[in-house]
Amino acid sequence: MKKQFYRRKSVDELTFTDDGMFQAVMRDPALCAELVERLLHIKVSHIEYPEIEKKIAPYFSSKGVRMDVYLKDSDKIIDVEMQSYPQPALPLRTRYYQSMIDADNLLKGHDYEDLKASYIVFICTDDPFRDERGKKYGLPCYTLTTKCHEVQDMNFNDKITKVIYNASGYEKEADARIRDFLRFVYTNDPSEDDFSVRLTKRMENLKKSENFREAYATMGIREMDIRREALAEGMEMGRTQGAEERSIENAVIAVKEFNIDPMLAAEKMNAPLEKVMERLGLAYTESTNTNMA
């Protein structure tokens, strides 16, 4: 099966899972609140502000994060991410996001008790979890909270919940409302689900909007600048250090962080493609170059 990597789509080609479109659709507070309530089984009493692509970088030297949809309720903070391509370090990514959320919200002089409940939700188009043999677990939803190994029924109550949805497993989802939404994410077919129909209508209106088209074009210019900078920095680091391992690492970063085609990343970083593919957990054959062209 041919692996699909980054290709800039036109506005008319965009679907709900695409960068730009997902964030724009979620700018509708009613749709955003309904999505959160549907996926988390909680009531959103009042959204203080929906902030799209929230950027958090508490320290100059720390790695910042840009969150897709970041919103606050009176007693909770919710981050919703759309993941339409493989993310091998997803568990560690959620860990870092959580730390950034806490650092952003606990002001100096405040007590730890002031920390709000936080929810990190990832909507993945494919199953991100596999067992030790590499077989997908196949669940439509993975809910993760902090547990005590010694006392199973102890409530640690750190108010952290991480929910990972796997749209490809929608048929196994018992909740009809969630199943219909995951099916929409996976197939782009709203079917007869009212919520998915309204999401689709919102996308159709956005595609007709000159403001959205201009914003998407601007975002494309910014993305390409970032990708060029990443490639240039990686090539320079490879030249100065001259190490194969570093060139492989740079290529892997280019693929994971900027969704660059592995073949292009390996070429630009002067890294062996087979080792880059191996590090990414992708199959490599002698025909890989031809198949990915």
Side-chain angles (χ1 to χ4, degrees):
M1 180 177 177
K2 185 176 180 180
K3 190 71 176 179
Q4 297 295 325
F5 286 90
Y6 182 81
R7 180 183 71 81
R8 183 71 179 174
K9 291 183 177 180
S10 69
V11 169
D12 294 328
E13 292 177 298
L14 293 176
T15 67
F16 182 65
T17 63
D18 288 313
D19 286 342
M21 180 57 78
F22 175 69
Q23 293 92 335
V25 171
M26 290 296 99
R27 286 185 185 274
D28 184 315
L31 290 176
C32 188
E34 185 169 349
L35 176 65
V36 168
E37 290 181 351
R38 184 177 290 220
L39 296 183
L40 293 177
H41 305 284
I42 61 175
K43 278 293 182 182
V44 179
S45 59
H46 171 69
I47 297 178
E48 293 180 13
Y49 62 90
E51 188 166 348
I52 309 302
E53 286 197 320
K54 166 75 172 179
K55 177 68 180 293
I56 302 178
Y59 306 107
F60 176 75
S61 59
S62 66
K63 175 182 174 66
V65 296
R66 188 174 296 278
M67 300 175 175
D68 284 350
V69 178
Y70 183 85
L71 55 91
K72 290 183 180 180
D73 196 352
S74 57
D75 61 348
K76 63 184 73 71
I77 297 170
I78 303 165
D79 168 42
V80 184
E81 301 289 322
M82 179 62 70
Q83 196 70 48
S84 58
Y85 58 91
Q87 176 57 257
L90 183 61
L92 297 178
R93 185 175 175 184
T94 64
R95 170 184 165 181
Y96 193 70
Y97 276 34
Q98 181 61 56
S99 69
M100 292 294 102
I101 289 173
D102 289 342
D104 186 53
N105 283 275
L106 190 63
L107 300 177
K108 185 176 181 180
H110 285 214
D111 294 328
Y112 293 115
E113 289 81 3
D114 294 328
L115 282 171
K116 296 182 178 183
S118 70
Y119 297 84
I120 296 178
V121 182
F122 270 79
I123 305 168
C124 302
T125 53
D126 196 12
D127 195 337
F129 299 120
R130 290 167 172 75
D131 62 21
E132 63 278 1
R133 294 170 296 178
K135 182 180 179 181
K136 298 177 181 179
Y137 288 107
L139 299 178
C141 180
Y142 304 87
T143 304
L144 305 108
T145 56
T146 307
K147 299 290 185 181
C148 176
H149 288 256
E150 289 74 22
V151 185
Q152 295 297 319
D153 60 349
M154 186 181 90
N155 182 10
F156 189 61
N157 197 29
D158 59 1
K159 299 183 180 180
I160 297 173
T161 303
K162 300 169 185 175
V163 184
I164 316 297
Y165 278 100
N166 162 32
S168 68
Y170 71 89
E171 293 178 323
K172 297 180 181 179
E173 175 56 52
D175 187 309
R177 296 171 76 242
I178 295 178
R179 182 174 62 248
D180 289 343
F181 171 72
L182 293 180
R183 179 184 178 278
F184 169 62
V185 170
Y186 190 65
T187 66
N188 196 39
D189 176 11
S191 189
E192 298 179 358
D193 174 42
D194 176 67
F195 182 55
S196 299
V197 169
R198 282 184 281 126
L199 291 175
T200 302
K201 183 64 176 178
R202 169 73 171 158
M203 288 191 291
E204 291 173 352
N205 290 336
L206 284 167
K207 290 178 181 180
K208 298 175 184 176
S209 166
E210 288 302 321
N211 289 338
F212 175 72
R213 287 179 173 273
E214 291 176 6
Y216 183 69
T218 302
M219 186 178 73
I221 294 172
R222 184 174 72 245
E223 284 180 352
M224 292 311 298
D225 287 342
I226 292 172
R227 285 178 171 83
R228 281 194 290 268
E229 290 171 6
L231 288 173
E233 181 180 350
M235 287 187 286
E236 181 61 28
M237 293 175 70
R239 283 193 295 267
T240 57
Q241 296 186 19
E244 180 181 274
E245 175 60 29
R246 189 60 181 173
S247 67
I248 295 172
E249 181 181 345
N250 289 333
V252 170
I253 290 173
V255 175
K256 289 182 178 180
E257 296 294 328
F258 302 101
N259 209 16
I260 294 173
D261 188 298
M263 186 170 65
L264 175 61
E267 177 186 349
K268 296 298 183 181
M269 305 302 179
N270 195 28
L273 177 58
E274 64 273 17
K275 293 187 178 181
V276 172
M277 299 286 283
E278 180 182 358
R279 193 71 59 84
L280 291 166
L282 301 173
Y284 173 84
T285 64
E286 290 300 323
S287 60
T288 297
N289 289 359
T290 301
N291 291 337
M292 298 185 69

